[in-house]
Amino acid sequence: MSAVDEASIFAALKAIVEPRQQKDIVSLGMVSGLVVKDGNVGFAIEVDPRQGAAMEPLRKAAEKAVYDLDGVTSVTVVLTAEKSSAQGQPQGQPQGQPQGQSQGQPAGQRGGGQQQALVPGVRSIVAVASGKGGVGKSTTTTNLALAMVQLGLKVGVLDADIYGPSQPRMLGISGRPSSPDGKILNPMENYGLKCMSMGFLVAEDTPMIWRGPMVQSALQQMLRDVDWGELDILMVDMPPGTGDAQLTMAQQVPLTGAVIVSTPQDIALLDARKGLNMFRKVDVPVLGIVENMSVFICPNCGHESHIFSHGGARREAEKLGMEFLGELPLDIEIRETSDGGRPIVVSNPDAAQAKAYGAIAARVWEKVSAQIDAGGARQAPKIVMQ
Ligand code: ADP
């Protein structure tokens, strides 16, 4: 099969006409961010945010036009729009769609409309979030997910950290997902864990400028258009931070609960509190907080140094009425194994650090399964943290 080039993609897209202006989307300058990599094509169509939902047929038509080209194995098209100052609402939310942000509304009824549809076969979805980047959110997600596999659960990881997707590297997965019908992608898999990440679809060194609506549709596609099969739990590695994009994401994914990862110094800076408030705003129960890089254990002598004021997370969690789920040390083996694609939970399962992940994973699953039993994952949860 010959490789597809940008010129033929643009030529195919010239056949797609924007219905209101009756001009093709290339001439109108609506196509942006084209990425072509080994037959995998991705680009954005810039639309008026008020037209978001109405533009879905256009998106589909563009996707099909490119998919029909010789040499194309997958196509990812996302709608994007500048934030509309007139709307004053989170980006990517089509107008007229219920917002579901009111306090006290059960999680199963958040949002409304198609975007809230639960993913068939997936019993629960748990977000792993952090107030800012670099606190070890992805490392924690990977190791907790793998610890859940060891508990005998069917587990998936959705890498929604599209600004810096790290799950492929942490799980030692390379290559691209296959798509037998060109529409639904098969997740990648390693260590018994299924994984989907934007990192599989775009080159690691490709700078991508994501705007709110693109983030939303990428996430929706990774949820909806991936054959996750039967899963007990899907862990979502959220983008760091607590801004609009994260809030909308938390609102649009039918989350069973959220885990907040924080380092001792962020706790002091109240980042964890912002994370908690974000999930409360959209009525997602916060399952608890994990303190990462809590103490430094010297690899040579085993001495424990409390570089940051260790113990702050536990106190802060108590103050905020959140459960303290556990702590992980700042440890060279955690770093080397996760960055090397063989996380400590699988490469050294008897290590104390691996056991610490195991204990946290067991507790998270205990809380999640209680919600599933109470109907929380599929309908309104019985437990809503106040
Ligand atoms: P985030 O997802 O919050 O941006 P990452 O999980 O990518 O953070 O971690 C950032 C860096 O810190 C990575 O190099 C990772 O290996 C390292 N790291 C994460 N947790 C630990 C830990 N407990 N001990 C040592 N290094 C860690």
Side-chain angles (χ1 to χ4, degrees), residues 97-135:
Q97 191 147 20
Q99 295 288 298
Q101 280 193 54
S102 62
Q103 289 286 347
Q105 190 181 6
Q109 293 165 18
R110 283 190 309 273
Q114 183 201 347
Q115 281 165 325
Q116 278 300 310
L118 295 172
V119 187
V122 176
R123 295 173 73 203
S124 63
I125 306 182
V126 170
V128 182
S130 64
K132 64 169 198 191
V135 303

Side-chain angles (χ1 to χ4, degrees), residues 120-149:
V122 176
R123 295 173 73 203
S124 63
I125 306 182
V126 170
V128 182
S130 64
K132 64 169 198 191
V135 303
K137 169 184 52 59
S138 300
T139 308
T140 307
T141 309
T142 318
N143 278 292
L144 289 183
L146 289 168
M148 286 177 186
V149 172

Side-chain angles (χ1 to χ4, degrees), residues 49-62:
R50 285 160 304 193
Q51 295 291 315
M55 287 294 164
E56 178 60 16
L58 186 90
R59 188 191 70 77
K60 281 226 166 76

Side-chain angles (χ1 to χ4, degrees), residues 183-195:
K183 293 189 196 87
I184 302 292
L185 293 172
N186 287 326
M188 306 292 270
E189 194 169 333
N190 201 9
Y191 308 122
L193 177 65
K194 289 183 178 169
C195 176

Side-chain angles (χ1 to χ4, degrees), residues 328-346:
L328 280 313
L330 175 60
D331 172 70
I332 184 83
E333 197 178 347
I334 293 182
R335 197 201 66 71
E336 283 176 352
T337 52
S338 61
D339 291 351
R342 25 177 205 97
I344 193 161
V345 163
V346 286

